[in-house]
Amino acid sequence: MAPGLVRFALRRTLRDVKYVEAVRPGRARGLVRDVYRQVERDFGMLAPPVALHSPAPEVLAAAWLMLRESLVAGGLASRADKEVVAAAVSAANSCPYCVEVHAMALGSLGDPAAAAAIEAGDAGAIPDRDTRALAAWARGEGLLPADVPAGTAAEFTGVAVAFHYLNRMVSVFLGPSPLPDAVPPSARAKARAVLGLLLKPGDAPPAGEALGLLPATPADGPGWAPPGGTLADAFSRARAAIEAAGERSVPPRVRDLVRRELKAWDGRPPGLSRAWAEPVLAELPAGERAAGRLALGTAKAAYQVDAADIAAVRPERTDDRGLVELVSWAALTAAVAAGERLWHRPRREDSPGRRG
């Protein structure tokens, strides 16, 4: 399967976005067009996890801003190490789509053993000690070595926050694999190999070039980001855009409930049953419980969200923009909380080696 055909097939996977209609590249205008051009220039393809946000242009720009400035743009950390974080976070969040994509990217960068271990759900089998420690930290199961420079640790945290966000969006709006359903089983191995080559990053683009997609904000950046730096600016702009979306599309009582639940949550999966949510949702007015169930489910167990949850909110949110904004707000609120948990964990003194 030729690379050009894979790119074409991936563009067609925009049709596989569930519940909302992603803007087709040929119909993109204004901010959506500007984001799409940057994504194809800097990421190499129009990635469906970004394009699914397109019914809400400011949220689309926010999602790309976080992804680009944490994972794609040049910085202190290597792209391979950042892909380890992306894949490990995705595995912890039960997001097979993102695990597959970023394991392929990691393998293309020369670490197929680590990629295979993460994709198999056995990050402890990663041969390299440094990489194994980084994956464990990203999964919330280990400590970051004490001698990782603060700036490098901030970049790792930025990638983790971006993927805690994207994993939730992908779990709701996409299927389990980046390969189109139309690719037959006999061709999937070859398609994966070609896709892995396409995902191999080239030279990292300069940091900060996506900042102009969203207005500056006077709000401080996250505590893990160096003040005044690109990461602080990027995540501050993105958060402001998604908070504004939440104010438009998420009832205030639902926002308060989700924030309260996340403050008391340790980040562990709540379990296979969905019964955990019902006692909490009972405090909401009946007319807000569908929105509350979708928001809380996205925040704490996005892999449990299903078509019935979406159908239940459609009477109040008949437009795609409102649905994307609701899910996006819940996803980012959970991602911000996850970033704070990672950043405030102590460092491990007996570090295996230095990164960055």
Side-chain angles (χ1 to χ4, degrees):
M1 183 174 288
L5 290 177
V6 173
R7 283 195 179 93
F8 176 73
L10 287 170
R11 275 197 168 198
R12 288 181 62 86
T13 60
L14 297 188
R15 299 179 183 178
D16 296 330
V17 173
K18 297 185 291 185
Y19 312 129
V20 299
E21 184 176 354
V23 176
R24 304 290 182 264
R27 298 181 180 178
R29 302 290 184 270
L31 183 57
V32 175
R33 178 194 59 208
D34 294 343
V35 173
Y36 278 13
R37 286 176 175 174
Q38 276 202 14
V39 174
E40 293 204 307
R41 182 194 71 193
D42 293 341
F43 198 68
M45 64 187 73
L46 181 56
V50 178
L52 68 83
H53 296 80
S54 57
E58 296 83 6
V59 172
L60 169 70
W64 169 239
L65 191 52
M66 290 187 288
L67 176 64
R68 184 194 188 277
E69 301 303 337
S70 66
L71 179 75
V72 179
L76 300 172
S78 72
R79 178 65 181 266
D81 280 351
K82 291 193 284 187
E83 291 289 356
V84 169
V85 174
V89 167
S90 301
N93 285 327
S94 301
C95 182
Y97 184 111
C98 293
V99 172
E100 188 172 1
V101 168
H102 295 283
M104 283 190 286
L106 178 59
S108 77
L109 289 166
D111 200 344
I118 295 172
E119 195 165 10
D122 188 13
I126 295 173
D128 180 75
R129 187 182 177 191
D130 286 6
T131 304
R132 188 166 65 247
L134 181 61
W137 170 82
R139 290 178 59 92
E141 297 172 350
L143 302 180
L144 199 63
D147 64 350
V148 172
T152 304
E155 291 182 4
F156 291 155
T157 306
V159 174
V161 172
F163 278 86
H164 274 290
Y165 171 79
L166 287 168
N167 293 161
R168 288 165 166 83
M169 298 299 292
V170 167
S171 291
V172 173
F173 291 109
L174 286 170
S177 174
L179 294 177
D181 292 340
V183 177
S186 60
R188 293 185 81 82
K190 189 171 183 180
R192 274 178 57 101
V194 174
L195 180 56
L197 292 174
L198 289 176
L199 289 169
K200 183 177 181 179
D203 295 336
E209 290 186 349
L211 292 174
L213 294 169
L214 290 172
T217 171
D220 293 334
W224 49 262
T230 298
L231 279 177
D233 196 0
F235 278 80
S236 177
R237 293 179 194 228
R239 188 173 184 182
I242 293 176
E243 283 291 340
E247 290 178 5
R248 286 190 296 268
S249 297
V250 188
R253 280 181 290 248
V254 172
R255 298 202 306 271
D256 290 343
L257 181 147
V258 171
R259 290 190 184 107
R260 187 193 71 208
E261 288 296 305
L262 288 174
K263 188 174 182 180
W265 188 40
D266 63 3
R268 296 178 183 177
L272 296 177
S273 169
R274 301 180 56 167
W276 60 270
E278 296 310 312
V280 178
L281 296 169
E283 70 183 61
L284 292 172
E288 294 181 358
R289 286 178 194 163
R293 184 173 291 104
L294 178 55
L296 190 60
T298 296
K300 295 181 72 172
Y303 51 85
Q304 292 183 341
V305 172
D306 59 21
D309 297 317
I310 303 299
V313 301
R314 275 304 197 183
E316 289 79 29
R317 287 162 188 79
T318 56
D319 65 315
D320 288 353
R321 180 183 181 119
L323 179 59
V324 169
E325 289 185 339
L326 187 156
V327 177
S328 174
W329 178 87
L332 185 63
T333 303
V336 168
E340 291 174 353
R341 286 194 299 270
L342 280 174
W343 186 249
H344 288 112
R345 300 182 79 198
R347 297 288 192 94
R348 192 177 74 191
E349 294 299 333
D350 58 332
S351 57
R354 181 178 298 277
R355 288 183 179 270

